[in-house]
Amino acid sequence: DKGNHRHFMQKEIYEQPIVVAQTLRSYLQRMEGKVALPIPDFDLSAIRRVTIVACGTSYYAGMVAKYWFEQFARVPVDIDVASEFRYRAPVMEPGGLMIVISQSGETADTLAALRHAKSEGQTIAAVVNVPTSSMAREADLLLPTHAGPEIGVASTKAFSCQLAVLAALAANLAKAKGKLDEAEERDIVRHLAEAPAAINGALAYDESIEAMAGAVAGARDVLYLGRGTDYPLALEGALKLKEISYIHAEGYAAGEMKHGPIALIDEHVPVIVIAPSGPLFEKTVSNMQEVQARGGKVVLISDYDGVAAAGQGCLATITMPKVHPLIAPIVYAVPVQLLAYHVAVAKGTDVDQPRNLAKSVTVE
Ligand code: M6R
């Protein structure tokens, strides 16, 4: 049932404040300022290396999580798309944790990667949305997202819930490895607990995003740029747009522009720049200005300070609430989803059932 919404995708975008809160509830003891796992005594202290494997949007959630695992737990992280993992003879030593991320828990390549890693003696954690799925059953550590059924082929609420679980897992691993003191743990819990309200704040800009979607709907190609954890978000934005609006879109690390893709820039190519204010802001803005100097039409997604500092000269700006960098990827997922949604609606494509795609990909 779509309720008041025109499409399941729209409904699912709007469910995010609730389902992220619901998911966080089983990973945070908010009052105590503690992170927790659903299996509280699962011992992570011997984990020396993490391998993340997933497909599509779930893979981009994993790319964001790599930053968190390395930053908080100081544990090295490998990440692969599941369809490539087994073909590079990955080295899997004792003390390895394999994390599979999947909405459906049935994606064939991800499941095959899980089985391969298990046979090599890795501990398997599964971040899945369907608790009865194959991956949920075969994992050693089941980490459910509580997004509820996701009907739209484009993954939205599953993604933000995956990020919430992965942030909590990174904090748990850091704690188990003695890398997190009580004050740091309390801070992480406080920041994560702010995510649902911040997502609500982001949803408040829906109408202004709808109003500028026309400027993107006529394009043949669109680029997305981001740095740090906003780089995977750029990839996610491009995937979302191409999947439901059929506009060719690519995400790049902002600093990679001048190594090739900048040759594509002219006044017909909208460039979506994801740049919350923070330590990486200045660098991303200078990449954005390189684009503008070549006639590129920029849509800047930032907070009030970022838009005030760098918004002039942009085709459009989208203002997000100001949030802690830890939760920025969760919050900035919203404008990226809404933009793809409104562009697709403007183009009249089948938003919930895009051509050639299946919700669950059960062939390799
Ligand atoms: O069920 P999974 O999370 O394993 O699915 C992975 C991808 O097929 C999925 O995220 C796909 O990329 C979505 N259609 C993206 O919106």
Side-chain angles (χ1 to χ4, degrees):
D1 179 20
K2 287 181 256 201
N4 297 329
H5 295 281
R6 205 167 146 196
H7 298 98
F8 281 107
M9 182 183 179
Q10 186 189 39
K11 171 174 178 257
E12 290 162 0
I13 291 172
Y14 271 84
E15 281 171 352
Q16 290 178 110
I18 289 173
V19 294
V20 168
Q22 209 161 274
T23 299
L24 284 171
R25 214 167 294 140
S26 43
Y27 293 87
L28 306 180
Q29 296 170 330
R30 206 176 154 177
M31 293 307 158
E32 294 81 0
K34 302 255 176 249
V35 291
L37 290 179
I39 307 175
D41 36 11
F42 196 93
D43 185 13
L44 294 169
S45 62
I47 300 300
R48 288 207 301 259
R49 182 170 205 98
V50 170
T51 306
I52 302 175
V53 167
C55 301
T57 290
S58 299
Y59 172 71
Y60 299 141
M63 277 183 77
V64 173
K66 175 181 161 82
Y67 291 84
W68 294 333
F69 284 111
E70 295 189 334
Q71 181 191 338
F72 297 140
R74 307 301 300 150
V75 168
V77 178
D78 275 331
I79 172 157
D80 275 281
V81 286
S83 55
E84 287 298 320
F85 176 68
R86 282 169 300 150
Y87 307 115
R88 68 168 171 94
V91 180
M92 286 179 275
E93 288 165 354
L97 175 70
M98 145 79 84
I99 305 172
V100 293
I101 308 167
S102 176
Q103 189 285 128
S104 62
E106 300 295 347
T107 301
D109 281 311
T110 311
L111 186 57
L114 179 163
R115 289 177 178 156
H116 179 65
K118 200 172 187 178
S119 74
E120 298 272 317
Q122 302 290 286
T123 301
I124 312 290
V127 179
V128 293
N129 196 43
V130 179
T132 52
S133 60
S134 305
M135 286 181 221
R137 284 196 309 272
E138 295 184 29
D140 302 303
L141 176 60
L142 170 59
L143 300 171
T145 48
H146 300 289
E150 193 180 60
I151 309 294
V153 164
S155 185
T156 53
K157 61 176 181 169
F159 178 70
S160 45
C161 289
Q162 287 165 347
L163 291 176
V165 170
L166 290 162
L169 178 60
N172 270 288
L173 181 60
K175 192 174 165 180
K177 310 245 2 138
K179 295 275 164 42
L180 203 66
D181 65 30
E182 274 185 26
E184 290 166 327
E185 184 175 3
R186 214 175 314 113
D187 280 345
I188 290 178
V189 171
R190 187 164 49 83
H191 297 315
L192 284 175
E194 283 164 3
I199 296 171
N200 246 326
L203 287 168
Y205 292 90
D206 191 4
E207 274 178 28
S208 59
I209 296 171
E210 182 175 11
M212 47 93 25
V216 175
R220 200 189 58 182
D221 308 288
V222 177
L223 298 183
Y224 285 75
L225 304 182
R227 198 179 265 273
T229 52
D230 301 309
Y231 165 44
L233 268 184
L235 298 171
E236 167 63 3
L239 174 62
K240 216 89 296 170
L241 187 72
K242 68 186 127 189
E243 148 174 70
I244 60 170
S245 77
Y246 315 148
I247 295 174
H248 171 238
E250 298 299 334
Y252 286 102
E256 273 294 292
M257 277 305 280
K258 50 179 154 313
H259 300 286
I262 202 161
L264 296 171
I265 297 299
D266 64 21
E267 67 277 18
H268 304 298
V269 183
V271 181
I272 320 291
V273 177
I274 306 167
S277 60
L280 306 178
F281 180 75
E282 295 297 331
K283 290 230 163 93
T284 305
V285 166
S286 87
N287 302 132
M288 176 182 112
Q289 286 161 346
E290 289 158 9
V291 166
Q292 288 171 315
R294 284 154 188 89
K297 295 278 181 291
V298 170
V299 176
L300 173 63
I301 311 180
S302 186
D303 45 41
Y304 181 82
D305 290 344
V307 168
Q312 60 280 23
C314 291
L315 173 66
T317 57
I318 299 173
T319 313
M320 288 291 104
K322 186 145 191 180
V323 295
H324 187 270
L326 173 62
I327 62 165
I330 305 178
V331 177
Y332 280 66
V334 174
V336 150
Q337 296 162 352
L338 285 173
L339 181 61
Y341 174 74
H342 288 301
V343 170
V345 170
K347 292 199 72 179
T349 54
D350 188 343
V351 171
D352 285 333
Q353 285 287 331
R355 67 186 182 203
N356 308 343
L357 286 168
K359 180 66 184 161
S360 180
V361 182
T362 52
V363 290
E364 285 186 30

